[in-house]
Amino acid sequence: MTPLEELADWASGLTYDDIPSPVRSLATSQVLSQLGSIRAGLHHPLGRRIVAAFGDPWQDDPRTGACVLAGLGSWLNLDDTAYAGHLSNSTVAVPLAHALARGLDGAALITAVVAANECAARITAAATLGPLRGQSAVHTHLAGGVAGRLHCEGASAARWTDALGLAFAMPNWPLHRAFLASDARLFNAFTPVRSAMDACDAAAAGLRGAPDILEHPDGFLARFASVPLPGEVHEGLGTRWYTHTLSFKARPGGPGIDAAVDCAIELHDVLGPLREEDVEEVVVEASLYTLFAGRTAERYVTGPDAPLGALVLHTPYPVATALLQGGLTVDDFAAPRLALPERWKLAERVVLRHDEDFTRALFGSVAPFGEAVRRAGAAAGPWLKAFGGSATERLALTACGPGADRADDFSDATKATPARVTVRMRDGRTESRERLVPIGAAGPHTRAGHARLMREKFVSLGGAPDVARAASELDGMDGARLADWLRASLD
């Protein structure tokens, strides 16, 4: 069997009882978290345009409904991530649409989400050391879309293999110009989910896909991975749970700015109400990951008219906003708040600097790159050098060496995207805060409190508190109650 066939055979047969309790719990929080993200997208002006073009999220055709759900949840960077990939835009959105259409119960929904997570994360991990990463690695949603739908349908392993083979025959490759400078970002997940739905329909009609499409010399990994890791696709199935590596987005923005915003909020609480004219300088020390994202976005961010796709990757504006108001919300990325001049004046005094220890910690954690670099070993060197130069290669290979102590099942996975924020006031005061793992990111704090954190996220985005509380009962909901709960989640 090829790696893809092994994955399809395992995932198609996955049952609720096969899934460890902590993984089920994480998937339950993931469903609530993504429903909150979809709510946010639905009530934003750009989200309303998606609905005007393609229809409501809960529509009669679950194939198009899945695309709308995927699009609404993706572009404010409120979607949840894992090692590897921005999963929830497909691995939750597609099961939501198809579970509702088929009258499935809550346990079936959770099982479909986990199956989709495992397929999408594994295939994405196999190509993590490549030119596309984060939200630009939209091939994640080809796997998440196919797996999320076919598990709801109870399809055979052979159909899974054909659908995945067809979906990966023409994988999507986004252009950074469109991704950062236009509303095309809204199609970041919509388009690959649409392709996944077509692949499922084609496989059901008898079209065949190449079962070796991933690892063949003329296949997916040869084009999409600088350092292919085909073993990620099929090794440790049923024992190595990639859902354990979930990181939840508590606020919009990213990647890599979360810890800096967390620190800025703490500093606001310490410093009290601030005026931008009272601040001399704000220094953000971070890993190369944060600096890389910032360099990518900065040429597009010149003020409040900046495209949203670039703005959510930009460190100075979110940090300045969090310092001034003690928080960061979706409304801060739209008029009238986005146009407040004091935020932009303070953003001009936010300086980013590299911290080697933070880059070491970044690569020492499982997500977003550390596990891939560890598995690749010295072969990752050219990719690391292209990413951040010779110093990055040295730091990463040291951090990811054989001495790294990690559980084989990912149950102790972390995502360290550290930051230290220092505020220098004009009156001479200086305050600093540091955070290694952002609020909601994979780590001990999130494993202990993700259910509470995601209830708070959902309510903060306008969701009803009773809907948030009911998430804890998701696995016991029958089809009728699940349908009512899903519809109420977006009301």
Side-chain angles (χ1 to χ4, degrees):
M1 295 175 74
T2 67
L4 188 64
E5 288 173 311
E6 287 190 48
L7 181 64
D9 184 64
W10 175 81
S12 64
L14 184 70
T15 70
Y16 182 77
D17 290 337
D18 294 331
I19 304 170
S21 178
V23 174
R24 296 178 199 161
S25 180
L26 284 164
T28 299
S29 289
Q30 186 186 5
V31 169
L32 184 63
S33 174
Q34 192 63 10
L35 284 168
S37 303
I38 292 165
R39 279 191 64 88
L42 185 61
H43 291 92
H44 191 281
L46 289 178
R48 290 194 288 272
R49 293 173 192 171
I50 282 279
V51 171
F54 300 103
D56 293 328
W58 310 129
Q59 56 182 274
D60 292 339
D61 179 4
R63 298 170 300 177
T64 302
C67 298
V68 173
L69 288 163
L72 291 173
S74 68
W75 49 275
L76 287 167
N77 276 85
L78 277 164
D79 51 316
D80 305 314
T81 65
Y83 169 68
H86 282 245
L87 300 184
S88 295
N89 299 319
S90 57
T91 66
V92 174
V94 174
L96 288 178
H98 286 273
L100 180 65
R102 301 180 74 85
L104 301 184
D105 62 21
L109 171 61
I110 291 170
T111 308
V113 168
V114 173
N117 282 344
E118 298 300 313
C119 291
R122 284 173 169 276
I123 292 175
T124 305
T128 285
L129 302 182
L132 302 177
R133 63 188 62 84
Q135 281 202 339
S136 69
V138 296
H139 47 266
T140 298
H141 307 307
L142 296 173
V146 168
R149 174 178 169 180
L150 292 188
H151 202 282
C152 288
E153 294 180 350
S156 67
R159 185 177 298 178
W160 281 62
T161 300
D162 283 331
L164 287 166
L166 292 166
F168 278 87
M170 289 178 279
N172 309 88
W173 189 297
L175 302 179
H176 274 98
R177 173 65 182 172
F179 186 79
L180 292 172
S182 77
D183 292 343
R185 184 185 179 90
L186 277 75
F187 292 95
N188 175 63
F190 186 106
T191 299
V193 167
R194 173 87 83 180
S195 296
M197 297 302 97
D198 289 344
C200 290
D201 290 339
L207 272 66
R208 304 294 304 276
D212 61 353
I213 193 67
L214 299 181
E215 77 280 5
H216 192 277
D218 293 327
F220 168 72
L221 290 176
R223 180 68 62 88
F224 280 72
S226 306
V227 186
L229 299 172
E232 294 284 338
V233 176
H234 65 110
E235 292 175 1
L237 289 167
T239 58
R240 200 168 194 241
W241 295 91
Y242 285 59
T243 302
H244 270 312
T245 71
L246 274 173
S247 288
F248 298 98
K249 289 304 295 285
R251 303 182 189 90
I257 70 168
D258 297 345
V261 171
D262 292 340
C263 292
I265 291 170
E266 289 184 36
L267 286 165
H268 172 88
D269 294 341
V270 171
L271 293 167
L274 287 175
R275 299 180 305 168
E276 60 82 15
E277 59 264 33
D278 295 332
V279 180
E280 179 72 29
E281 183 182 50
V282 181
V283 178
V284 177
E285 297 166 279
S287 72
L288 277 171
Y289 184 43
T290 302
L291 270 65
F292 179 88
R295 285 196 302 269
T296 302
E298 64 185 1
R299 62 184 179 271
Y300 294 98
V301 180
T302 57
D305 294 331
L308 186 63
L311 194 57
V312 293
L313 302 178
H314 188 240
T315 302
Y317 172 78
V319 167
T321 298
L323 276 171
L324 290 173
Q325 71 173 26
L328 184 70
T329 71
V330 170
D331 291 339
D332 294 313
F333 291 93
R337 294 186 186 182
L338 185 56
L340 292 173
E342 60 267 25
R343 298 183 179 188
W344 291 98
K345 289 178 182 177
L346 183 55
E348 292 175 359
R349 299 198 290 280
V350 175
V351 180
L352 268 67
R353 294 179 183 161
H354 180 223
D355 185 293
E356 283 197 357
D357 288 338
F358 286 169
T359 294
R360 206 175 279 112
L362 169 76
F363 283 101
S365 61
V366 166
F369 310 120
E371 181 65 14
V373 172
R374 186 187 70 80
R375 287 174 69 84
W383 181 87
L384 290 164
K385 194 174 293 184
F387 180 72
S390 298
T392 301
E393 180 183 12
R394 171 179 54 82
L395 292 170
L397 291 177
T398 300
C400 300
D405 184 18
R406 297 171 185 160
D408 289 340
D409 64 355
F410 283 151
S411 60
D412 62 354
T414 60
K415 182 180 182 181
T417 52
R420 182 185 304 111
V421 179
T422 302
V423 179
R424 308 189 197 284
M425 305 293 289
R426 295 194 192 277
D427 63 9
R429 287 182 296 160
T430 298
E431 291 284 351
S432 182
R433 290 294 184 275
E434 177 180 322
R435 180 174 283 273
L436 183 67
V437 176
I439 293 173
H445 180 266
T446 297
R447 277 190 287 278
H450 58 81
R452 173 185 57 80
L453 286 170
M454 292 309 100
R455 286 195 300 269
E456 292 172 356
K457 171 183 175 176
F458 183 80
V459 173
S460 75
L461 294 169
D466 61 329
V467 172
R469 288 191 294 271
S472 64
E473 304 164 7
L474 180 58
D475 60 352
M477 293 182 185
D478 62 18
R481 188 178 175 205
L482 176 63
D484 290 342
W485 184 74
L486 290 177
R487 291 191 175 97
S489 71
L490 300 187
D491 285 346

